Amino acid sequence: MNEPNLENIDDYYALQGEKKKVVFAIVISSLIMGVVYAVSMSLYTPEEPTSIDKTYKKVPMR
């Protein structure tokens, strides 16, 4: 019984034809979605107000 080798796989050396186009399309679409996500997060992230007065004049007692 022989162990499987990578050389026995049909597209071990290079992707060819339709498979190459599909892999290329998936990689490009993933990169585009990542850029769109990064830009939208940087544009639509709400900023916290910077001028909040956090000083207390009197400690509340019960």
Side-chain angles (χ1 to χ4, degrees):
M1 184 171 231
N2 292 333
E3 292 185 21
N5 294 332
L6 290 176
E7 288 83 11
N8 295 341
I9 299 174
D10 291 336
D11 53 356
Y12 171 69
Y13 292 105
L15 290 174
Q16 297 174 354
E18 191 67 26
K19 287 183 182 180
K20 189 173 187 177
K21 291 178 185 177
V22 169
V23 170
F24 184 72
I26 290 172
V27 169
I28 295 298
S29 63
S30 300
L31 289 173
I32 290 172
M33 286 190 301
V35 168
V36 168
Y37 178 75
V39 168
S40 65
M41 287 300 293
S42 67
L43 290 177
Y44 298 115
T45 303
E47 295 182 13
E48 294 184 17
T50 56
S51 63
I52 295 177
D53 185 21
K54 292 187 177 180
T55 58
Y56 298 103
K57 297 178 182 176
K58 187 176 180 182
V59 178
M61 301 291 269
R62 286 189 168 212

mmCIF file of all heavy atoms in Angstrom, residues 7-58:
data_model
loop_
_atom_site.group_PDB
_atom_site.id
_atom_site.type_symbol
_atom_site.label_atom_id
_atom_site.label_comp_id
_atom_site.label_asym_id
_atom_site.label_seq_id
_atom_site.Cartn_x
_atom_site.Cartn_y
_atom_site.Cartn_z
ATOM 1 N N GLU A 7 2.449 14.999 -5.446
ATOM 2 C CA GLU A 7 2.614 14.990 -6.907
ATOM 3 C C GLU A 7 1.451 14.283 -7.604
ATOM 4 O O GLU A 7 1.220 14.466 -8.796
ATOM 5 C CB GLU A 7 3.935 14.326 -7.300
ATOM 6 C CG GLU A 7 5.159 15.157 -6.974
ATOM 7 C CD GLU A 7 5.618 15.009 -5.520
ATOM 8 O OE1 GLU A 7 5.122 14.101 -4.812
ATOM 9 O OE2 GLU A 7 6.451 15.816 -5.096
ATOM 10 N N ASN A 8 0.712 13.450 -6.880
ATOM 11 C CA ASN A 8 -0.424 12.747 -7.475
ATOM 12 C C ASN A 8 -1.646 13.642 -7.645
ATOM 13 O O ASN A 8 -2.558 13.303 -8.385
ATOM 14 C CB ASN A 8 -0.802 11.541 -6.617
ATOM 15 C CG ASN A 8 0.289 10.495 -6.598
ATOM 16 O OD1 ASN A 8 1.163 10.473 -7.458
ATOM 17 N ND2 ASN A 8 0.255 9.630 -5.593
ATOM 18 N N ILE A 9 -1.667 14.764 -6.960
ATOM 19 C CA ILE A 9 -2.787 15.688 -7.094
ATOM 20 C C ILE A 9 -2.662 16.395 -8.445
ATOM 21 O O ILE A 9 -1.578 16.787 -8.858
ATOM 22 C CB ILE A 9 -2.786 16.695 -5.931
ATOM 23 C CG1 ILE A 9 -2.937 15.956 -4.612
ATOM 24 C CG2 ILE A 9 -3.893 17.723 -6.096
ATOM 25 C CD1 ILE A 9 -2.803 16.839 -3.389
ATOM 26 N N ASP A 10 -3.801 16.573 -9.130
ATOM 27 C CA ASP A 10 -3.786 17.128 -10.486
ATOM 28 C C ASP A 10 -3.207 18.536 -10.556
ATOM 29 O O ASP A 10 -2.443 18.848 -11.460
ATOM 30 C CB ASP A 10 -5.202 17.146 -11.072
ATOM 31 C CG ASP A 10 -5.698 15.738 -11.357
ATOM 32 O OD1 ASP A 10 -4.852 14.840 -11.547
ATOM 33 O OD2 ASP A 10 -6.928 15.557 -11.391
ATOM 34 N N ASP A 11 -3.574 19.412 -9.631
ATOM 35 C CA ASP A 11 -3.120 20.793 -9.715
ATOM 36 C C ASP A 11 -2.088 21.118 -8.623
ATOM 37 O O ASP A 11 -2.123 22.170 -8.016
ATOM 38 C CB ASP A 11 -4.287 21.767 -9.686
ATOM 39 C CG ASP A 11 -5.208 21.530 -8.510
ATOM 40 O OD1 ASP A 11 -4.974 20.563 -7.766
ATOM 41 O OD2 ASP A 11 -6.145 22.311 -8.346
ATOM 42 N N TYR A 12 -1.145 20.207 -8.393
ATOM 43 C CA TYR A 12 -0.107 20.434 -7.386
ATOM 44 C C TYR A 12 0.873 21.512 -7.828
ATOM 45 O O TYR A 12 1.259 22.366 -7.046
ATOM 46 C CB TYR A 12 0.640 19.130 -7.106
ATOM 47 C CG TYR A 12 1.865 19.307 -6.254
ATOM 48 C CD1 TYR A 12 1.741 19.654 -4.911
ATOM 49 C CD2 TYR A 12 3.136 19.156 -6.787
ATOM 50 C CE1 TYR A 12 2.862 19.827 -4.118
ATOM 51 C CE2 TYR A 12 4.261 19.325 -5.997
ATOM 52 C CZ TYR A 12 4.120 19.656 -4.668
ATOM 53 O OH TYR A 12 5.220 19.827 -3.897
ATOM 54 N N TYR A 13 1.270 21.500 -9.064
ATOM 55 C CA TYR A 13 2.313 22.419 -9.531
ATOM 56 C C TYR A 13 1.779 23.817 -9.803
ATOM 57 O O TYR A 13 2.465 24.797 -9.572
ATOM 58 C CB TYR A 13 2.999 21.852 -10.775
ATOM 59 C CG TYR A 13 3.803 20.623 -10.444
ATOM 60 C CD1 TYR A 13 3.353 19.362 -10.792
ATOM 61 C CD2 TYR A 13 4.988 20.725 -9.748
ATOM 62 C CE1 TYR A 13 4.082 18.241 -10.469
ATOM 63 C CE2 TYR A 13 5.731 19.601 -9.408
ATOM 64 C CZ TYR A 13 5.270 18.358 -9.787
ATOM 65 O OH TYR A 13 5.984 17.245 -9.451
ATOM 66 N N ALA A 14 0.578 23.947 -10.283
ATOM 67 C CA ALA A 14 0.009 25.274 -10.548
ATOM 68 C C ALA A 14 -1.481 25.152 -10.815
ATOM 69 O O ALA A 14 -1.951 24.150 -11.335
ATOM 70 C CB ALA A 14 0.687 25.901 -11.753
ATOM 71 N N LEU A 15 -2.182 26.186 -10.454
ATOM 72 C CA LEU A 15 -3.598 26.249 -10.806
ATOM 73 C C LEU A 15 -3.703 26.659 -12.264
ATOM 74 O O LEU A 15 -2.961 27.529 -12.726
ATOM 75 C CB LEU A 15 -4.322 27.251 -9.925
ATOM 76 C CG LEU A 15 -4.486 26.864 -8.468
ATOM 77 C CD1 LEU A 15 -5.096 28.022 -7.696
ATOM 78 C CD2 LEU A 15 -5.359 25.645 -8.335
ATOM 79 N N GLN A 16 -4.622 26.055 -12.974
ATOM 80 C CA GLN A 16 -4.761 26.361 -14.389
ATOM 81 C C GLN A 16 -6.231 26.528 -14.737
ATOM 82 O O GLN A 16 -7.105 25.939 -14.111
ATOM 83 C CB GLN A 16 -4.168 25.236 -15.238
ATOM 84 C CG GLN A 16 -2.687 25.045 -15.040
ATOM 85 C CD GLN A 16 -2.166 23.832 -15.786
ATOM 86 O OE1 GLN A 16 -2.927 23.079 -16.362
ATOM 87 N NE2 GLN A 16 -0.872 23.659 -15.775
ATOM 88 N N GLY A 17 -6.467 27.351 -15.732
ATOM 89 C CA GLY A 17 -7.801 27.487 -16.293
ATOM 90 C C GLY A 17 -8.807 28.123 -15.372
ATOM 91 O O GLY A 17 -8.555 29.158 -14.741
ATOM 92 N N GLU A 18 -9.981 27.494 -15.275
ATOM 93 C CA GLU A 18 -11.100 28.047 -14.523
ATOM 94 C C GLU A 18 -10.811 28.118 -13.025
ATOM 95 O O GLU A 18 -11.225 29.062 -12.356
ATOM 96 C CB GLU A 18 -12.349 27.193 -14.774
ATOM 97 C CG GLU A 18 -13.624 27.795 -14.272
ATOM 98 C CD GLU A 18 -14.035 29.053 -15.021
ATOM 99 O OE1 GLU A 18 -13.662 29.211 -16.199
ATOM 100 O OE2 GLU A 18 -14.717 29.878 -14.405
ATOM 101 N N LYS A 19 -10.087 27.157 -12.476
ATOM 102 C CA LYS A 19 -9.770 27.173 -11.041
ATOM 103 C C LYS A 19 -8.932 28.394 -10.689
ATOM 104 O O LYS A 19 -9.122 29.006 -9.642
ATOM 105 C CB LYS A 19 -9.014 25.910 -10.644
ATOM 106 C CG LYS A 19 -9.862 24.673 -10.608
ATOM 107 C CD LYS A 19 -9.045 23.490 -10.136
ATOM 108 C CE LYS A 19 -9.865 22.223 -10.147
ATOM 109 N NZ LYS A 19 -9.082 21.072 -9.696
ATOM 110 N N LYS A 20 -8.010 28.753 -11.563
ATOM 111 C CA LYS A 20 -7.154 29.910 -11.318
ATOM 112 C C LYS A 20 -7.984 31.193 -11.298
ATOM 113 O O LYS A 20 -7.776 32.063 -10.460
ATOM 114 C CB LYS A 20 -6.075 29.991 -12.394
ATOM 115 C CG LYS A 20 -5.015 31.016 -12.128
ATOM 116 C CD LYS A 20 -3.898 30.914 -13.143
ATOM 117 C CE LYS A 20 -2.752 31.817 -12.795
ATOM 118 N NZ LYS A 20 -1.648 31.672 -13.731
ATOM 119 N N LYS A 21 -8.952 31.311 -12.181
ATOM 120 C CA LYS A 21 -9.824 32.491 -12.226
ATOM 121 C C LYS A 21 -10.692 32.583 -10.978
ATOM 122 O O LYS A 21 -10.907 33.667 -10.440
ATOM 123 C CB LYS A 21 -10.699 32.448 -13.476
ATOM 124 C CG LYS A 21 -9.928 32.642 -14.760
ATOM 125 C CD LYS A 21 -10.844 32.542 -15.960
ATOM 126 C CE LYS A 21 -10.048 32.622 -17.249
ATOM 127 N NZ LYS A 21 -10.921 32.456 -18.428
ATOM 128 N N VAL A 22 -11.191 31.444 -10.507
ATOM 129 C CA VAL A 22 -12.044 31.435 -9.318
ATOM 130 C C VAL A 22 -11.240 31.854 -8.088
ATOM 131 O O VAL A 22 -11.694 32.672 -7.282
ATOM 132 C CB VAL A 22 -12.682 30.043 -9.118
ATOM 133 C CG1 VAL A 22 -13.350 29.936 -7.763
ATOM 134 C CG2 VAL A 22 -13.668 29.741 -10.228
ATOM 135 N N VAL A 23 -10.034 31.315 -7.923
ATOM 136 C CA VAL A 23 -9.194 31.673 -6.780
ATOM 137 C C VAL A 23 -8.835 33.154 -6.840
ATOM 138 O O VAL A 23 -8.879 33.860 -5.830
ATOM 139 C CB VAL A 23 -7.924 30.792 -6.739
ATOM 140 C CG1 VAL A 23 -6.937 31.304 -5.714
ATOM 141 C CG2 VAL A 23 -8.295 29.354 -6.442
ATOM 142 N N PHE A 24 -8.502 33.657 -8.017
ATOM 143 C CA PHE A 24 -8.170 35.063 -8.185
ATOM 144 C C PHE A 24 -9.364 35.948 -7.823
ATOM 145 O O PHE A 24 -9.219 36.952 -7.124
ATOM 146 C CB PHE A 24 -7.720 35.318 -9.629
ATOM 147 C CG PHE A 24 -7.260 36.720 -9.888
ATOM 148 C CD1 PHE A 24 -6.059 37.167 -9.389
ATOM 149 C CD2 PHE A 24 -8.040 37.586 -10.635
ATOM 150 C CE1 PHE A 24 -5.628 38.453 -9.632
ATOM 151 C CE2 PHE A 24 -7.622 38.874 -10.879
ATOM 152 C CZ PHE A 24 -6.415 39.306 -10.380
ATOM 153 N N ALA A 25 -10.561 35.566 -8.267
ATOM 154 C CA ALA A 25 -11.766 36.345 -7.971
ATOM 155 C C ALA A 25 -12.066 36.351 -6.473
ATOM 156 O O ALA A 25 -12.457 37.384 -5.916
ATOM 157 C CB ALA A 25 -12.956 35.785 -8.743
ATOM 158 N N ILE A 26 -11.881 35.236 -5.800
ATOM 159 C CA ILE A 26 -12.136 35.168 -4.359
ATOM 160 C C ILE A 26 -11.150 36.040 -3.595
ATOM 161 O O ILE A 26 -11.527 36.766 -2.676
ATOM 162 C CB ILE A 26 -12.079 33.707 -3.869
ATOM 163 C CG1 ILE A 26 -13.282 32.937 -4.408
ATOM 164 C CG2 ILE A 26 -12.028 33.635 -2.347
ATOM 165 C CD1 ILE A 26 -13.242 31.459 -4.152
ATOM 166 N N VAL A 27 -9.878 35.996 -3.969
ATOM 167 C CA VAL A 27 -8.869 36.807 -3.284
ATOM 168 C C VAL A 27 -9.144 38.292 -3.485
ATOM 169 O O VAL A 27 -9.121 39.079 -2.529
ATOM 170 C CB VAL A 27 -7.455 36.432 -3.777
ATOM 171 C CG1 VAL A 27 -6.417 37.432 -3.299
ATOM 172 C CG2 VAL A 27 -7.088 35.036 -3.323
ATOM 173 N N ILE A 28 -9.425 38.704 -4.709
ATOM 174 C CA ILE A 28 -9.686 40.117 -4.999
ATOM 175 C C ILE A 28 -10.957 40.592 -4.289
ATOM 176 O O ILE A 28 -10.972 41.674 -3.684
ATOM 177 C CB ILE A 28 -9.784 40.353 -6.525
ATOM 178 C CG1 ILE A 28 -8.439 40.072 -7.187
ATOM 179 C CG2 ILE A 28 -10.263 41.757 -6.839
ATOM 180 C CD1 ILE A 28 -7.322 40.977 -6.713
ATOM 181 N N SER A 29 -12.015 39.787 -4.307
ATOM 182 C CA SER A 29 -13.254 40.208 -3.648
ATOM 183 C C SER A 29 -13.071 40.285 -2.132
ATOM 184 O O SER A 29 -13.639 41.175 -1.485
ATOM 185 C CB SER A 29 -14.404 39.271 -4.009
ATOM 186 O OG SER A 29 -14.135 37.960 -3.550
ATOM 187 N N SER A 30 -12.275 39.405 -1.550
ATOM 188 C CA SER A 30 -12.006 39.474 -0.115
ATOM 189 C C SER A 30 -11.238 40.739 0.245
ATOM 190 O O SER A 30 -11.527 41.393 1.259
ATOM 191 C CB SER A 30 -11.211 38.252 0.347
ATOM 192 O OG SER A 30 -11.931 37.077 0.093
ATOM 193 N N LEU A 31 -10.267 41.102 -0.565
ATOM 194 C CA LEU A 31 -9.515 42.330 -0.326
ATOM 195 C C LEU A 31 -10.406 43.564 -0.440
ATOM 196 O O LEU A 31 -10.314 44.487 0.372
ATOM 197 C CB LEU A 31 -8.340 42.437 -1.296
ATOM 198 C CG LEU A 31 -7.187 41.457 -1.052
ATOM 199 C CD1 LEU A 31 -6.172 41.555 -2.172
ATOM 200 C CD2 LEU A 31 -6.537 41.733 0.286
ATOM 201 N N ILE A 32 -11.275 43.584 -1.428
ATOM 202 C CA ILE A 32 -12.180 44.722 -1.620
ATOM 203 C C ILE A 32 -13.142 44.832 -0.435
ATOM 204 O O ILE A 32 -13.378 45.935 0.079
ATOM 205 C CB ILE A 32 -12.934 44.596 -2.958
ATOM 206 C CG1 ILE A 32 -11.951 44.820 -4.117
ATOM 207 C CG2 ILE A 32 -14.089 45.581 -3.035
ATOM 208 C CD1 ILE A 32 -12.528 44.526 -5.479
ATOM 209 N N MET A 33 -13.695 43.707 0.022
ATOM 210 C CA MET A 33 -14.603 43.744 1.166
ATOM 211 C C MET A 33 -13.876 44.210 2.428
ATOM 212 O O MET A 33 -14.447 44.931 3.242
ATOM 213 C CB MET A 33 -15.233 42.374 1.392
ATOM 214 C CG MET A 33 -16.286 42.030 0.375
ATOM 215 S SD MET A 33 -17.261 40.557 0.758
ATOM 216 C CE MET A 33 -16.028 39.295 0.859
ATOM 217 N N GLY A 34 -12.621 43.823 2.594
ATOM 218 C CA GLY A 34 -11.848 44.273 3.738
ATOM 219 C C GLY A 34 -11.605 45.765 3.719
ATOM 220 O O GLY A 34 -11.694 46.440 4.753
ATOM 221 N N VAL A 35 -11.311 46.307 2.546
ATOM 222 C CA VAL A 35 -11.096 47.752 2.422
ATOM 223 C C VAL A 35 -12.394 48.502 2.691
ATOM 224 O O VAL A 35 -12.398 49.514 3.405
ATOM 225 C CB VAL A 35 -10.527 48.090 1.023
ATOM 226 C CG1 VAL A 35 -10.575 49.573 0.763
ATOM 227 C CG2 VAL A 35 -9.111 47.571 0.903
ATOM 228 N N VAL A 36 -13.498 48.029 2.157
ATOM 229 C CA VAL A 36 -14.793 48.676 2.385
ATOM 230 C C VAL A 36 -15.138 48.641 3.868
ATOM 231 O O VAL A 36 -15.603 49.637 4.435
ATOM 232 C CB VAL A 36 -15.905 48.008 1.537
ATOM 233 C CG1 VAL A 36 -17.282 48.454 1.971
ATOM 234 C CG2 VAL A 36 -15.674 48.295 0.072
ATOM 235 N N TYR A 37 -14.902 47.520 4.533
ATOM 236 C CA TYR A 37 -15.181 47.411 5.961
ATOM 237 C C TYR A 37 -14.311 48.375 6.764
ATOM 238 O O TYR A 37 -14.801 49.057 7.668
ATOM 239 C CB TYR A 37 -14.940 45.972 6.422
ATOM 240 C CG TYR A 37 -15.160 45.767 7.897
ATOM 241 C CD1 TYR A 37 -16.444 45.727 8.422
ATOM 242 C CD2 TYR A 37 -14.089 45.624 8.764
ATOM 243 C CE1 TYR A 37 -16.661 45.551 9.766
ATOM 244 C CE2 TYR A 37 -14.286 45.445 10.121
ATOM 245 C CZ TYR A 37 -15.573 45.401 10.612
ATOM 246 O OH TYR A 37 -15.769 45.234 11.947
ATOM 247 N N ALA A 38 -13.024 48.448 6.448
ATOM 248 C CA ALA A 38 -12.122 49.337 7.186
ATOM 249 C C ALA A 38 -12.507 50.798 7.005
ATOM 250 O O ALA A 38 -12.511 51.578 7.967
ATOM 251 C CB ALA A 38 -10.691 49.106 6.734
ATOM 252 N N VAL A 39 -12.858 51.189 5.789
ATOM 253 C CA VAL A 39 -13.242 52.574 5.526
ATOM 254 C C VAL A 39 -14.551 52.900 6.227
ATOM 255 O O VAL A 39 -14.689 53.962 6.844
ATOM 256 C CB VAL A 39 -13.337 52.836 4.004
ATOM 257 C CG1 VAL A 39 -14.004 54.162 3.707
ATOM 258 C CG2 VAL A 39 -11.956 52.782 3.377
ATOM 259 N N SER A 40 -15.514 51.996 6.168
ATOM 260 C CA SER A 40 -16.802 52.276 6.809
ATOM 261 C C SER A 40 -16.664 52.340 8.327
ATOM 262 O O SER A 40 -17.321 53.149 8.971
ATOM 263 C CB SER A 40 -17.837 51.225 6.415
ATOM 264 O OG SER A 40 -17.472 49.959 6.919
ATOM 265 N N MET A 41 -15.819 51.525 8.917
ATOM 266 C CA MET A 41 -15.619 51.589 10.365
ATOM 267 C C MET A 41 -14.931 52.886 10.772
ATOM 268 O O MET A 41 -15.238 53.447 11.821
ATOM 269 C CB MET A 41 -14.799 50.396 10.852
ATOM 270 C CG MET A 41 -15.566 49.094 10.839
ATOM 271 S SD MET A 41 -17.033 49.114 11.874
ATOM 272 C CE MET A 41 -16.304 49.235 13.490
ATOM 273 N N SER A 42 -14.031 53.374 9.953
ATOM 274 C CA SER A 42 -13.352 54.619 10.313
ATOM 275 C C SER A 42 -14.255 55.832 10.106
ATOM 276 O O SER A 42 -14.126 56.825 10.814
ATOM 277 C CB SER A 42 -12.074 54.783 9.505
ATOM 278 O OG SER A 42 -12.380 54.980 8.137
ATOM 279 N N LEU A 43 -15.200 55.764 9.183
ATOM 280 C CA LEU A 43 -16.096 56.893 8.931
ATOM 281 C C LEU A 43 -17.279 56.933 9.881
ATOM 282 O O LEU A 43 -17.718 58.007 10.278
ATOM 283 C CB LEU A 43 -16.614 56.838 7.491
ATOM 284 C CG LEU A 43 -15.590 57.120 6.398
ATOM 285 C CD1 LEU A 43 -16.245 56.962 5.033
ATOM 286 C CD2 LEU A 43 -15.007 58.508 6.548
ATOM 287 N N TYR A 44 -17.823 55.784 10.248
ATOM 288 C CA TYR A 44 -19.072 55.745 10.981
ATOM 289 C C TYR A 44 -18.921 55.377 12.454
ATOM 290 O O TYR A 44 -19.903 55.113 13.114
ATOM 291 C CB TYR A 44 -20.039 54.773 10.309
ATOM 292 C CG TYR A 44 -20.379 55.195 8.905
ATOM 293 C CD1 TYR A 44 -20.008 54.428 7.815
ATOM 294 C CD2 TYR A 44 -21.052 56.393 8.671
ATOM 295 C CE1 TYR A 44 -20.308 54.838 6.524
ATOM 296 C CE2 TYR A 44 -21.353 56.795 7.387
ATOM 297 C CZ TYR A 44 -20.975 56.008 6.322
ATOM 298 O OH TYR A 44 -21.265 56.403 5.054
ATOM 299 N N THR A 45 -17.730 55.374 12.988
ATOM 300 C CA THR A 45 -17.544 55.088 14.403
ATOM 301 C C THR A 45 -17.880 56.333 15.201
ATOM 302 O O THR A 45 -17.297 57.388 14.991
ATOM 303 C CB THR A 45 -16.090 54.662 14.687
ATOM 304 O OG1 THR A 45 -15.774 53.531 13.878
ATOM 305 C CG2 THR A 45 -15.899 54.320 16.139
ATOM 306 N N PRO A 46 -18.843 56.237 16.132
ATOM 307 C CA PRO A 46 -19.193 57.426 16.918
ATOM 308 C C PRO A 46 -18.059 57.794 17.873
ATOM 309 O O PRO A 46 -17.451 56.930 18.494
ATOM 310 C CB PRO A 46 -20.442 57.000 17.680
ATOM 311 C CG PRO A 46 -20.375 55.517 17.717
ATOM 312 C CD PRO A 46 -19.638 55.087 16.478
ATOM 313 N N GLU A 47 -17.817 59.077 17.965
ATOM 314 C CA GLU A 47 -16.774 59.555 18.863
ATOM 315 C C GLU A 47 -17.402 59.932 20.195
ATOM 316 O O GLU A 47 -18.499 60.489 20.251
ATOM 317 C CB GLU A 47 -16.074 60.763 18.254
ATOM 318 C CG GLU A 47 -15.311 60.441 16.991
ATOM 319 C CD GLU A 47 -14.591 61.656 16.442
ATOM 320 O OE1 GLU A 47 -14.481 62.661 17.163
ATOM 321 O OE2 GLU A 47 -14.155 61.590 15.300
ATOM 322 N N GLU A 48 -16.697 59.668 21.261
ATOM 323 C CA GLU A 48 -17.182 60.027 22.578
ATOM 324 C C GLU A 48 -16.915 61.503 22.822
ATOM 325 O O GLU A 48 -15.895 62.032 22.383
ATOM 326 C CB GLU A 48 -16.489 59.187 23.642
ATOM 327 C CG GLU A 48 -16.832 57.728 23.552
ATOM 328 C CD GLU A 48 -16.195 56.931 24.679
ATOM 329 O OE1 GLU A 48 -15.778 57.542 25.670
ATOM 330 O OE2 GLU A 48 -16.122 55.719 24.537
ATOM 331 N N PRO A 49 -17.813 62.167 23.520
ATOM 332 C CA PRO A 49 -17.577 63.587 23.812
ATOM 333 C C PRO A 49 -16.333 63.742 24.691
ATOM 334 O O PRO A 49 -16.089 62.945 25.591
ATOM 335 C CB PRO A 49 -18.829 64.038 24.530
ATOM 336 C CG PRO A 49 -19.638 62.823 24.775
ATOM 337 C CD PRO A 49 -19.073 61.693 24.005
ATOM 338 N N THR A 50 -15.564 64.770 24.400
ATOM 339 C CA THR A 50 -14.311 64.962 25.121
ATOM 340 C C THR A 50 -14.445 65.934 26.289
ATOM 341 O O THR A 50 -13.549 66.009 27.114
ATOM 342 C CB THR A 50 -13.228 65.482 24.167
ATOM 343 O OG1 THR A 50 -13.697 66.681 23.555
ATOM 344 C CG2 THR A 50 -12.924 64.456 23.103
ATOM 345 N N SER A 51 -15.538 66.661 26.373
ATOM 346 C CA SER A 51 -15.661 67.682 27.419
ATOM 347 C C SER A 51 -16.685 67.297 28.479
ATOM 348 O O SER A 51 -17.581 68.065 28.801
ATOM 349 C CB SER A 51 -16.027 69.021 26.796
ATOM 350 O OG SER A 51 -17.290 68.919 26.181
ATOM 351 N N ILE A 52 -16.574 66.114 29.016
ATOM 352 C CA ILE A 52 -17.478 65.690 30.086
ATOM 353 C C ILE A 52 -16.846 66.068 31.418
ATOM 354 O O ILE A 52 -15.691 65.758 31.682
ATOM 355 C CB ILE A 52 -17.733 64.176 30.027
ATOM 356 C CG1 ILE A 52 -18.472 63.820 28.746
ATOM 357 C CG2 ILE A 52 -18.504 63.712 31.244
ATOM 358 C CD1 ILE A 52 -18.697 62.341 28.571
ATOM 359 N N ASP A 53 -17.617 66.734 32.245
ATOM 360 C CA ASP A 53 -17.136 67.126 33.569
ATOM 361 C C ASP A 53 -17.348 65.955 34.524
ATOM 362 O O ASP A 53 -18.482 65.614 34.857
ATOM 363 C CB ASP A 53 -17.887 68.370 34.055
ATOM 364 C CG ASP A 53 -17.337 68.887 35.363
ATOM 365 O OD1 ASP A 53 -16.172 68.560 35.683
ATOM 366 O OD2 ASP A 53 -18.065 69.608 36.065
ATOM 367 N N LYS A 54 -16.268 65.343 34.966
ATOM 368 C CA LYS A 54 -16.371 64.179 35.829
ATOM 369 C C LYS A 54 -15.987 64.491 37.280
ATOM 370 O O LYS A 54 -15.616 63.610 38.020
ATOM 371 C CB LYS A 54 -15.474 63.066 35.297
ATOM 372 C CG LYS A 54 -15.959 62.497 33.993
ATOM 373 C CD LYS A 54 -15.155 61.308 33.575
ATOM 374 C CE LYS A 54 -15.709 60.716 32.307
ATOM 375 N NZ LYS A 54 -14.976 59.563 31.861
ATOM 376 N N THR A 55 -16.078 65.715 37.675
ATOM 377 C CA THR A 55 -15.774 66.065 39.051
ATOM 378 C C THR A 55 -17.060 66.035 39.865
ATOM 379 O O THR A 55 -18.127 66.438 39.398
ATOM 380 C CB THR A 55 -15.141 67.469 39.141
ATOM 381 O OG1 THR A 55 -16.043 68.409 38.569
ATOM 382 C CG2 THR A 55 -13.825 67.503 38.375
ATOM 383 N N TYR A 56 -16.961 65.551 41.076
ATOM 384 C CA TYR A 56 -18.111 65.448 41.949
ATOM 385 C C TYR A 56 -17.938 66.430 43.102
ATOM 386 O O TYR A 56 -16.880 66.510 43.725
ATOM 387 C CB TYR A 56 -18.253 64.026 42.502
ATOM 388 C CG TYR A 56 -18.471 63.007 41.398
ATOM 389 C CD1 TYR A 56 -17.440 62.186 40.973
ATOM 390 C CD2 TYR A 56 -19.699 62.894 40.782
ATOM 391 C CE1 TYR A 56 -17.628 61.266 39.969
ATOM 392 C CE2 TYR A 56 -19.902 61.981 39.774
ATOM 393 C CZ TYR A 56 -18.877 61.163 39.366
ATOM 394 O OH TYR A 56 -19.064 60.261 38.376
ATOM 395 N N LYS A 57 -18.997 67.154 43.385
ATOM 396 C CA LYS A 57 -18.929 68.145 44.466
ATOM 397 C C LYS A 57 -19.194 67.501 45.823
ATOM 398 O O LYS A 57 -18.625 67.898 46.824
ATOM 399 C CB LYS A 57 -19.926 69.269 44.198
ATOM 400 C CG LYS A 57 -19.607 70.028 42.950
ATOM 401 C CD LYS A 57 -20.627 71.099 42.676
ATOM 402 C CE LYS A 57 -20.263 71.780 41.375
ATOM 403 N NZ LYS A 57 -21.239 72.771 40.970
ATOM 404 N N LYS A 58 -20.075 66.515 45.846
ATOM 405 C CA LYS A 58 -20.425 65.886 47.091
ATOM 406 C C LYS A 58 -20.643 64.414 46.862
ATOM 407 O O LYS A 58 -21.272 64.018 45.881
ATOM 408 C CB LYS A 58 -21.706 66.531 47.635
ATOM 409 C CG LYS A 58 -22.083 66.085 49.002
ATOM 410 C CD LYS A 58 -23.306 66.859 49.475
ATOM 411 C CE LYS A 58 -23.688 66.398 50.856
ATOM 412 N NZ LYS A 58 -24.878 67.072 51.330
#
